[in-house]
Amino acid sequence: MLDDAGKPINAHWGSILRYHGVYYWFGGIMEGKTINQHVPLPGVSCYSSRDLYHWKNEGIVMPGEIAGTDLVLPRYPEREKVIYNRRTRKFVMWMHVDTTEYHYARAAVAVSDSPTGPYHYLGSMRPNGSECRDMTVFQDKDGKAYLIFSSEGNATTHIAQLTDDYLKPNGAMARLFIDQWREGPAVFRYGKRYFLINSKCAGWAFSAARFAVAPSMLGPWKELGNPTVGAGSDKTFDSQSSDVLQVAGKRGAFIFLGDRWKPDDLVDSRYIWLPISIQGDKLEIQWRDHWDLSVFK
Ligand code: GAL
């Protein structure tokens, strides 16, 4: 995908926040040569759009290294996700901070007064004392927010409810998909149902997605298999889940966002967006060569 200036959008592990009628796409910037399946990650980018077709580059909203904090090489950020806190009027960014060995396994948080930054890095933590690798955040309609992350060596997923300022876990939590090695979590709510789509723990390789449904974020979560159908569904159409976007102004309009990684040239990784069809508890995502927002009624 290209931005308004005709340049490839550089926002991997993307996630989208809608605020005051504008969509903000946040993601990690990948730059330079890939060596041993790793590439420099010089910061977090943001692109804005009113229609989901045209994207303006808002620049680097947080650098990848911040002197005097733990966010300096060999540690770097991944999977940045932003939610807006109405009480504190802060935009709160959560991310996974790690090294190429993935032993640091921490979640970190940064805040800003504006969606387009600058985000001030507040530091990292092990949420509820647990490892955190692939993660996402979800903000519910009642204002409660949750950090969803791969933990326990990536074997088990945790959901941690956050404090009212969204800056740390408040202690309420759930463990799910025990010993199932899932990552790339993406969460959304439609009506009274909460949905979670994820990938297998497979590095940059593609795997079959799975989804689960729950009546509340802390569960119980019911696993319902692979949401993708047809050719390519064993590998999520060569992608890994990063987020689910709700399209404003249309009922039940949700878009699956995936990363199509290129492990030997990560900068050239692409994005896949596909509409999700929802019927009761069931999700279905099928491949489409071309589509636009008119697929949503
Ligand atoms: C994946 C993970 C990515 C990245 C990659 C590195 O499993 O989802 O976010 O960490 O591993 O190999």
Side-chain angles (χ1 to χ4, degrees):
M1 277 161 92
L2 302 178
D3 67 13
D4 279 352
K7 293 207 173 128
I9 291 184
N10 199 338
H12 305 276
W13 299 285
S15 70
I16 291 177
L17 164 77
R18 188 165 175 276
Y19 178 74
H20 284 183
V22 179
Y23 296 94
Y24 295 92
W25 174 348
F26 298 91
I29 302 170
M30 292 183 161
E31 220 168 70
K33 205 166 150 30
T34 302
I35 297 169
N36 294 331
Q37 303 205 339
H38 287 284
V39 71
L41 298 165
V44 184
S45 59
C46 176
Y47 293 79
S48 64
S49 175
R50 288 191 173 270
D51 60 8
L52 295 173
Y53 297 111
H54 302 92
W55 292 94
K56 177 180 169 220
N57 188 352
E58 301 282 356
I60 298 184
V61 297
M62 196 187 82
E65 283 200 86
I66 298 159
T69 75
D70 65 335
L71 190 58
V72 283
L73 285 173
R75 290 177 289 272
Y76 53 83
E78 286 192 359
R79 285 191 191 267
E80 301 82 5
K81 317 280 167 188
V82 177
I83 49 180
Y84 176 64
N85 191 309
R86 282 179 224 108
R87 288 187 192 205
T88 61
R89 299 194 180 162
K90 298 277 182 200
F91 294 84
V92 182
M93 178 186 292
W94 279 84
M95 71 205 90
H96 166 205
V97 170
D98 227 315
T99 67
T100 55
E101 313 293 322
Y102 289 101
H103 291 152
Y104 198 56
R106 291 170 81 93
V109 66
V111 292
S112 171
D113 292 328
S114 136
T116 53
Y119 284 81
H120 300 284
Y121 185 76
L122 300 180
S124 74
M125 72 194 82
R126 286 246 164 123
N128 297 318
S130 304
E131 286 179 353
C132 169
R133 292 192 184 81
D134 275 14
M135 42 63 65
T136 190
V137 286
F138 171 75
Q139 183 183 36
D140 206 348
K141 286 188 184 144
D142 62 3
K144 293 254 184 302
Y146 301 82
L147 177 69
I148 299 96
F149 54 103
S150 305
S151 196
E152 304 179 32
N154 280 349
T156 296
T157 299
H158 286 199
I159 297 184
Q161 195 175 65
L162 301 179
T163 50
D164 288 345
D165 58 12
Y166 301 168
L167 301 182
K168 56 182 186 296
N170 70 4
M173 63 166 285
R175 290 173 72 232
L176 44 149
F177 314 141
I178 291 164
D179 288 336
Q180 291 199 33
W181 304 90
R182 308 301 297 172
E183 58 184 12
V187 174
F188 66 102
R189 174 179 174 171
Y190 181 44
K192 292 194 157 77
R193 293 180 173 85
Y194 297 79
F195 292 97
L196 193 164
I197 301 178
N198 58 21
S199 74
K200 198 176 137 189
C201 189
W204 302 116
F206 306 124
S207 64
R210 276 198 228 144
F211 79 102
V213 65
S216 88
M217 273 305 286
L218 294 177
W221 286 88
K222 180 167 73 174
E223 293 172 56
L224 290 172
N226 187 341
T228 65
V229 293
S233 60
D234 56 332
K235 293 204 159 71
T236 318
F237 313 115
D238 288 349
S239 78
Q240 181 187 28
S241 38
S242 73
D243 196 22
V244 170
L245 156 67
Q246 178 161 23
V247 181
K250 302 201 181 210
R251 214 180 130 63
F254 293 89
I255 302 176
F256 169 86
L257 274 57
D259 290 290
R260 180 172 279 181
W261 303 118
K262 292 201 185 166
D264 297 321
D265 184 11
L266 283 161
V267 169
D268 198 33
S269 299
R270 305 296 168 100
Y271 315 105
I272 284 177
W273 289 29
L274 290 168
I276 303 176
S277 101
I278 310 174
Q279 236 141 52
D281 274 357
K282 207 166 163 243
L283 303 184
E284 203 172 276
I285 305 171
Q286 42 175 286
W287 179 254
R288 293 168 191 253
D289 285 332
H290 301 283
W291 65 279
D292 62 32
L293 293 174
S294 66
V295 301
F296 299 116
K297 301 285 176 303

